[in-house]
Amino acid sequence: MLRRNRDQGLDDPGPGLRYPNMIHGKAAAIIVAAGRGLRAGGPVPKQYAVLAGLPVLRRSTAAFRACEEIIVVVHPDDRSLAQTALAGLERLRIVDGGATRQASVRGGLEALAGAPPEFVLIHDAARPFVSTGTIAAVMAALETSDGAIPAATVSDTLKSGSAGRITGTVPRDGLWRAQTPQGFHFAKILAAHRIAASEDLTDDAAVAERAGLSVALVPSPALNFKLTTPEDFHMAEALLAAQLGDIRTGSGFDVHQFGPGDHIWLCGVKIPHTGGLVGHSDADAGLHALTDAILGAIGAGDIGVHFPPSDARWRGAASDQFLAHAASLVRAKGGVIAHVDVTLICEAPKIGPHREAMRARMAEILALAIDRISVKATTTEKLGFTGRREGLAAQAIATVRLPL
Ligand code: MG
């Protein structure tokens, strides 16, 4: 039967996109992510670039979560990038790639050879828009072929050219644009790769063709394109932005009283202070207000509903887990957190010296870029309970984008 990730919701494609058959239970996936091509202006290889809140690699890998096992082949220098991008996905191994794409795929196949699956799906990390329908169609074609690849039709007229001038018009009848995942009977493609080890072929279907295997063509939408150029990234951002058009805002407010102690926790940062904050958990009013803001944006109640004070598990608990849970509920809806803004209200401690540490810690908990996180501070001019230094208040606002 289909297995589910513990955090399946994190990358859930939404209703109507479930795997339509069960055959994936016998298939492993190899995600080829060993390239080092940098997105124009980007600091990391393109498969680690973030698209609408999630790394490209996570999007492309999560599409295969129904498979028995997933091998992600990466450049040895990018292991920590891959581990961060893939955190929490299950039945997944990261293996080092080789000097060429073909060598990397072979490395992935050899990693599976000890306990071979019946089928393998080999997918480019840079194709994050692969649909469950395309994966299912490739798998279905393997019932009657050694291999199968998704391919898009060619709609533009094709010209050959030289020195900027047309030299001819190329008939496009019978031409297809090869995509991935390319699926194969595992033992057959492993043998073909071993035979072709000294060659340099551009895709796995070519390796299969060279070995005389039958490879089926499965029509696939052009949407399953490979992110290559800056233009591709702009198009991908636009596609995802259009999908995430349901923009929500939530607010949160929290107060904790000062009491005995020598430190407080605020926005996930431990701050030395002349007193502590009293509360059932670690009394981090900043994270509590923000957790409520995120829950508010998705209409999911408040922090007390999810983590009742009556439950002894949360006594003295670190509040980062409350915030992480709220973020996971957003992702379970297929959404992203666009921005959060926390205002801390107190006479002391001074927030300024801790502001950047707070932003960095919340960025880590929420898995967001730091420029999507704001921390502000104010006093109440010595008025009221915060003015009398009896307690500290925090308010927060969160903007969340959900699929339309
Ligand atoms: Mg609280």
Side-chain angles (χ1 to χ4, degrees):
M1 64 182 274
L2 284 179
R3 298 215 206 137
R4 292 182 161 206
N5 278 350
R6 182 182 48 204
D7 71 343
Q8 176 176 25
L10 186 59
D11 306 287
D12 198 311
L17 290 170
R18 305 283 175 202
Y19 287 93
N21 62 35
M22 303 299 220
I23 200 166
H24 309 282
K26 301 179 225 162
I30 295 173
I31 311 299
V32 190
R36 301 217 81 207
L38 299 182
R39 178 183 181 179
V44 294
K46 62 184 180 182
Q47 62 272 35
Y48 303 107
V50 172
L51 265 187
L54 287 177
V56 171
L57 176 61
R58 188 178 189 97
R59 291 182 179 279
S60 48
T61 301
F64 294 86
R65 64 182 176 279
C67 286
E68 194 72 8
E69 183 172 12
I70 304 175
I71 302 289
V72 182
V73 190
V74 306
H75 192 281
D77 293 349
D78 294 336
R79 264 189 174 262
S80 67
L81 280 174
Q83 280 161 355
T84 302
L86 299 168
L89 294 179
E90 292 187 335
R91 301 188 311 284
L92 179 146
R93 269 191 288 159
I94 297 173
V95 306
D96 289 342
T100 62
R101 184 188 185 281
Q102 193 178 327
S104 293
V105 172
R106 180 159 168 224
L109 291 167
E110 298 289 357
L112 289 166
E118 188 174 357
F119 304 106
V120 64
L121 293 159
I122 303 169
H123 186 61
D124 293 329
R127 293 185 193 269
F129 292 106
V130 61
S131 70
T132 48
T134 290
I135 296 170
V138 168
M139 288 300 301
L142 293 180
E143 288 171 21
T144 52
S145 286
D146 300 324
I149 73 164
T153 52
V154 178
S155 52
D156 296 323
T157 298
L158 298 178
K159 301 292 185 187
S160 56
S162 175
R165 287 188 180 275
I166 290 172
T167 55
T169 298
V170 181
R172 67 184 179 208
D173 294 346
L175 292 184
W176 294 83
R177 295 184 291 152
Q179 301 177 345
T180 69
Q182 301 193 344
F184 303 93
H185 290 249
F186 179 79
K188 291 179 180 176
I189 194 66
L190 174 62
H193 261 275
R194 284 174 173 169
I195 291 166
S198 63
E199 299 182 63
D200 188 14
L201 302 169
T202 57
D203 73 351
D204 303 290
V207 173
E209 294 155 37
R210 185 62 59 94
L213 302 182
S214 64
V215 183
L217 279 168
V218 176
S220 171
L223 182 64
N224 182 24
F225 65 98
K226 187 175 185 175
L227 295 174
T228 307
T229 64
E231 184 190 359
D232 295 333
F233 275 84
H234 291 145
M235 196 154 57
E237 290 278 9
L239 281 165
L240 288 165
Q243 287 170 13
L244 293 169
D246 183 359
I247 296 171
R248 311 281 194 90
T249 304
S251 75
F253 180 75
D254 195 36
V255 169
H256 282 273
Q257 186 179 3
F258 283 117
D262 61 3
H263 70 274
I264 62 172
W265 284 92
L266 209 47
C267 292
V269 174
K270 187 178 182 180
I271 299 174
H273 191 55
T274 52
L277 284 172
V278 181
H280 187 75
S281 65
D282 64 6
D284 188 329
L287 292 192
H288 294 178
L290 181 53
T291 301
D292 267 356
I294 294 170
L295 293 173
I298 57 172
D302 60 27
I303 194 168
V305 171
H306 296 271
F307 304 97
S310 55
D311 189 331
R313 272 184 301 169
W314 315 123
R315 189 182 303 282
S319 297
D320 56 354
Q321 61 193 306
F322 306 155
L323 183 58
H325 178 70
S328 77
L329 294 179
V330 173
R331 295 193 185 104
K333 289 178 174 290
V336 298
I337 298 168
H339 182 259
V340 302
D341 182 20
V342 179
T343 301
L344 300 168
I345 306 163
C346 57
E347 297 291 333
K350 287 271 174 263
I351 302 303
H354 306 286
R355 185 197 312 268
E356 289 313 305
M358 290 172 170
R359 294 178 73 209
R361 179 64 188 126
M362 291 194 290
E364 190 177 26
I365 298 166
L366 294 169
L368 283 184
I370 197 164
D371 66 356
R372 293 179 182 274
I373 303 205
S374 163
V375 174
K376 311 196 302 296
T378 188
T379 71
T380 49
E381 300 289 343
K382 299 193 169 58
L383 298 172
F385 71 88
T386 58
R388 294 188 297 269
R389 302 176 182 237
E390 293 167 6
L392 173 153
Q395 61 186 36
I397 192 159
T399 305
V400 163
R401 305 178 60 150
L402 298 181
L404 283 170

